[in-house]
Amino acid sequence: MKHITLNTTKQNILDLQLISEALEPSESQRNAFLDQVKAYANQFINTIGEARTYNSDKETKNALAIDFQTKSMEDILKTYKEEVATKGINAASGGHIGYIPGGGIYASAVADYLADVTNEYAGMYYASPGAVAIENEVLDWMKSIFDFPKSAIGNLTSGGSMANLIALTAARDKHKIKSDKITSSVIYVSAQVHHCIHKALRIIGLEDVIVRYVDLDEHSRIIANDLDFKIKSDISEGLNPFLVIASAGTTDTGAVDPLKAIAELAKGNDLWFHVDAAYGGFFILTEEKKDRFIGIEEADSIVIDPHKGLFLPYGLGAVLIKDKQAVYHSNHYRANYMQDVMDDSAPVNPADVSPELTKPFRGLRLWLPLQLHGIAPFIACLQEKLLLTTYFRDELLKLGFMLGPEPDLSVSYFWYPTNDENENEFNERLMQAIHKDGSVFLSSTTINGKFVIRIAILSFRTKLETIDRAIEMISIALKSLS
Ligand SMILES: *Cc1c(COP(=O)(O)O)cnc(C)c1O
């Protein structure tokens, strides 16, 4: 690196300008970058159907080291392909039917490009009224889906974990759970609740609240009668129940808790009712599943993840909360240097609803695809996932597998019955064989002590052909073990 000793001559400033100009490529350089990235992206998408979904090779080579030697875009893309895009899980692939699959619709990538180039400041209405209007429009649309009042507020977060954190903080502040109350306050959850809830509780200082696990039925859904019983017995002991968390699509089994019954118990006992619908929420858009969500409109807060249920690339979750003051308590702040911004009649500032101040313009990555494609392809895609889940289960049955209960949404599980004490071990080996193959990626979990393999169908690229490929792979893996 060339070092320039600073003095205040104009020549010195111009010398520095010459070097820093590399940060503003010329139009022809910009086009050259984009052409190469575009060619790579096209090749990636055109061949994604043939590529493996999982590669267990985790070793990266030195090529990633930052050595301040400038490299060509071509070399960088080559490194990206070798070290990043072809290792681990290919989350853009339709063959990703493990965990909760990702997606990555192209229109969002284009939106991100636009948002990044224009670098809109989406934290404050004052700085970017248009960007904030788009974010609020996206949130208003989500409120309408869940029959939330327009007066509810919301925030576009990096994902479901951050969204849950914001909602639980609001619940804490609404019920004034301060240090003197923490150890006598009670939260009700399912054992299947997502682990980000436990993380959030620790982060927001509620590690020592009492967490009650409500009994689950054979579909892994909360049993409302048991919730009722537990709340009553806690109240009679002089404890302070203040929050119940339901899931609308658990990660493990896709179970939707009985939202209506839980809503009524929450209302009757003055509990904050939170619904984590990060995985399943957008299935409310389908005629087939919308009734499953009855009661969600009575929640105090909801979390949904467009980077799951609307197939966006990673980086977009959302939270909707009815009580604005509860959210403002922790997040609303006016620093003196922001005095130009104070206009309380203006639309809600994203920065007042979230721990973030400066944030990327996330709304565009959902708004633009909805403007470009409309809603029909998204709904069709969700319906397609439901049918593929049924199809997958039918095919597994033909191979002799046992299936988990009829799924509420698009997550299910299966295991091969050996009917002896080696059953778990056999299914673990089967999982390993499937991972080794890697043409399609599945994951496993443990349900009531039983090792089971999960199906989670949510990628927009998962098609009938993908499921046939998965069945073929599973059948080969099964033969290799027997
Ligand atoms: C994925 C998921 C989360 C966490 O969301 P991230 O976007 O991964 O942070 C929370 N709850 C449920 C039910 C989920 O499926």
Side-chain angles (χ1 to χ4, degrees), residues 80-91:
Y80 188 81
K81 181 176 181 177
E82 287 167 4
E83 301 292 344
V84 182
T86 48
K87 283 186 178 155
I89 302 167
N90 183 346

Side-chain angles (χ1 to χ4, degrees), residues 100 159-161 164 194 196 249 251 276 278-279 305 307-308:
I100 299 291
S161 301
N164 274 302
H194 194 275
C196 75
T251 315
D276 180 1
Y279 148 62
D305 246 355
H307 68 197
K308 289 176 178 165

Side-chain angles (χ1 to χ4, degrees), residues 88-212:
I89 302 167
N90 183 346
S93 164
H96 182 7
I97 46 182
Y99 304 113
I100 299 291
I105 54 173
Y106 195 74
S108 288
V110 174
D112 280 352
Y113 175 72
L114 200 58
D116 286 355
V117 169
T118 58
N119 200 23
E120 289 294 332
Y121 189 95
M124 286 282 166
Y125 178 71
Y126 165 86
S128 185
V132 172
I134 282 183
E135 299 232 325
N136 287 338
E137 184 63 30
V138 164
L139 289 162
D140 282 349
W141 172 63
M142 291 182 191
K143 288 176 214 167
S144 73
I145 298 175
F146 293 98
D147 219 359
F148 256 43
K150 194 125 195 247
S151 60
I153 57 175
N155 192 251
L156 297 176
T157 63
S158 56
S161 301
M162 283 304 295
N164 274 302
L165 183 94
I166 292 172
L168 299 192
T169 306
R172 178 198 69 186
D173 293 344
K174 168 82 179 177
H175 285 264
K176 301 191 169 57
I177 310 300
K178 302 200 179 185
S179 55
D180 57 329
K181 274 203 196 162
I182 290 175
T183 52
S184 59
S185 293
V186 193
I187 296 176
Y188 303 87
V189 299
S190 147
Q192 296 284 334
V193 76
H194 194 275
H195 72 271
C196 75
I197 297 287
H198 296 287
K199 271 170 67 168
L201 291 176
R202 294 203 293 262
I203 293 167
I204 66 173
L206 296 186
E207 182 171 7
D208 295 331
V209 294
I210 301 164
V211 177
R212 293 262 184 263

Side-chain angles (χ1 to χ4, degrees), residues 395-470:
E395 294 301 305
L396 284 165
L397 216 48
K398 291 183 199 160
L399 289 179
F401 282 96
M402 302 290 286
L403 302 177
E406 191 67 32
D408 285 347
L409 302 171
S410 68
V411 173
S412 185
Y413 58 90
F414 62 95
W415 71 97
Y416 197 77
T418 61
N419 299 317
D420 56 28
E421 71 277 12
N422 296 328
E423 198 167 275
N424 276 357
E425 191 246 349
F426 182 88
N427 282 283
E428 258 181 270
R429 281 197 291 134
L430 180 62
M431 181 83 270
Q432 283 158 11
I434 290 170
H435 282 166
K436 189 146 180 254
D437 180 303
S439 59
V440 170
F441 179 76
L442 294 121
S443 61
S444 69
T445 188
T446 303
I447 308 273
N448 300 325
K450 188 185 279 301
F451 183 98
V452 298
I453 300 176
R454 278 173 76 251
I455 315 166
I457 300 181
L458 198 60
S459 165
F460 73 106
R461 291 198 174 104
T462 304
K463 301 286 160 199
L464 194 57
E465 171 275 321
T466 326
I467 303 304
D468 286 336
R469 194 146 49 94

